[in-house]
Amino acid sequence: MTDYSWVDQPEQAGVRDLLDAVSAVDGRPSLPDDGSLPGEFRGGDQLLAVRDGVVVGYVGLNTAGDAFGRLVAELVVRPADRRGGIGAELATRLLAHVGVAADAEPGDTLRVWAHGDQQAAATLAHRLGFRRAREMRRLRMPLTDAVAEPELPTGIRLRAFVPGQDEDAVIEVNRLAFAWHPEQGAMSADDLRSDEAESWFDAAGFLLAVTPEDRVVGFHWTKVHPNVDGSPMGEVYVVGVHPDAQGGGLGKALTLAGLAYLRDRRGVDRVMLYVESDNQPALAVYDKLGFTIWDADVQYAR
């Protein structure tokens, strides 16, 4: 028998064991190497499915919502317990929890992530009245060869992020560059300071593009995942350019500079990134650099 319950503070070890099992099969979520939970699995409302004392399913509901006020949820089921109705029960209880009636017209007040774009998730989403609303592609490329020298616009130089000094300036650029983005556009200076406390944060790999007056006009925030399929993998975590500085090649230069840092300073031989499927300018840049599609994550809306 499987027990379902909404909790405020789930026992972390049980959820981490579940996520370890999911990540081993699905390749995500990316898990901190200190045994803690990823940020998207902390806080909010949390629904557990427990069988024989083992967490076999989980829903994490971000009650703060995305940049456009939509509730966003993560739903995962232990691989060994899939195809047994746990995912459907979790999704049904989630809809009831947020007050979406089973016969409600399709809308966009709740979104649920399905990682890996699996057919089982698509089938369940269709059955429960969700529609495919967003596709986040994951790209990758080898990083064994030397990276081309970045060509910075005239008067622009690169320097490393300085904790305690640059948060507000970076967030302002981020706000303007990602006003359209559901997650990135909502990032605050406090969120950034919180990330600085994470074990993966590397200020030297957080590259800022600045004017002669040291005004931040762009950034490339890199990240290294310690264990992806058995070895470290770099990530083009966020590249943001102030609207006033867009169109002059700064985004490409920042990307190249970050790739060189990951290869030459961090020693990784492969790199990945996430990009929206409808962001054609970014996809074109990454295609020219040699990135290829790895897989995709999908948000279903209700």
Side-chain angles (χ1 to χ4, degrees):
M1 178 178 176
T2 303
D3 295 319
Y4 298 87
S5 60
W6 286 95
V7 298
D8 293 327
Q9 295 291 334
E11 197 272 313
Q12 179 171 306
V15 176
R16 174 66 191 227
D17 286 346
L18 167 67
L19 297 182
D20 282 336
V22 170
S23 181
V25 172
D26 297 345
R28 41 218 186 281
S30 179
L31 300 172
D33 56 4
D34 61 2
S36 63
L37 300 179
E40 64 269 28
F41 292 91
R42 304 175 197 165
D45 292 351
Q46 304 183 60
L47 171 62
L48 299 184
V50 180
R51 178 185 295 161
D52 298 327
V54 176
V55 180
V56 296
Y58 171 92
V59 170
L61 176 64
N62 177 1
T63 53
D66 64 15
F68 302 103
R70 297 176 293 228
L71 299 174
V72 180
E74 297 277 351
L75 188 158
V76 294
V77 177
R78 185 179 292 270
D81 295 282
R82 290 172 180 172
R83 302 185 184 280
I86 294 174
E89 184 65 23
L90 288 171
T92 300
R93 288 173 180 259
L94 170 63
L95 289 173
H97 183 72
V98 301
V100 176
D103 58 352
E105 291 296 321
D108 197 7
T109 58
L110 169 68
R111 289 194 172 190
V112 180
W113 279 109
H115 298 290
D117 196 10
Q118 300 177 18
Q119 183 57 47
T123 300
L124 175 60
H126 178 73
R127 177 152 62 92
L128 294 178
F130 285 83
R131 63 178 177 83
R132 187 185 182 99
R134 179 184 175 196
E135 179 184 323
M136 179 78 80
R137 293 180 183 173
R138 192 164 63 151
L139 311 183
R140 62 181 173 181
M141 65 175 264
L143 201 55
T144 52
D145 296 332
V147 178
E149 189 71 22
E151 297 181 8
L152 292 167
T154 302
I156 300 298
R157 64 181 177 88
L158 299 182
R159 67 168 176 83
F161 175 89
V162 179
Q165 170 186 298
D166 292 321
E167 287 84 357
D168 290 340
V170 166
I171 289 301
E172 177 63 10
V173 172
N174 183 83
R175 181 184 67 82
L176 295 170
F178 293 102
W180 54 274
H181 198 278
E183 291 89 30
Q184 194 63 32
M187 187 175 189
S188 68
D190 285 341
D191 294 329
L192 176 50
R193 293 184 187 98
S194 178
D195 283 339
E196 291 172 28
E198 298 287 349
S199 60
W200 54 263
F201 183 80
D202 174 22
F206 198 152
L207 306 178
L208 306 186
V210 299
T211 67
E213 299 78 27
D214 204 41
R215 182 172 72 93
V216 178
V217 293
F219 62 91
H220 182 174
W221 188 355
T222 68
K223 184 176 183 178
V224 174
H225 300 267
N227 184 8
V228 178
D229 297 334
S231 63
M233 174 177 275
E235 180 179 353
V236 177
Y237 190 45
V238 190
V239 177
V241 177
H242 192 289
D244 292 345
Q246 292 176 2
L250 180 56
K252 179 180 179 181
L254 280 164
T255 302
L256 288 172
L259 291 175
Y261 175 84
L262 288 169
R263 178 185 183 274
D264 300 336
R265 297 280 299 279
R266 296 299 303 270
V268 300
D269 60 5
R270 56 201 181 120
V271 65
M272 53 84 68
L273 59 84
Y274 289 93
V275 61
E276 302 286 345
S277 62
D278 58 356
N279 189 347
Q280 295 304 319
L283 286 167
V285 170
Y286 296 137
D287 179 67
K288 290 180 180 178
L289 289 174
F291 282 90
T292 57
I293 294 179
W294 187 357
D295 55 19
D297 297 333
V298 176
Q299 268 190 350
Y300 290 97
R302 189 71 167 85

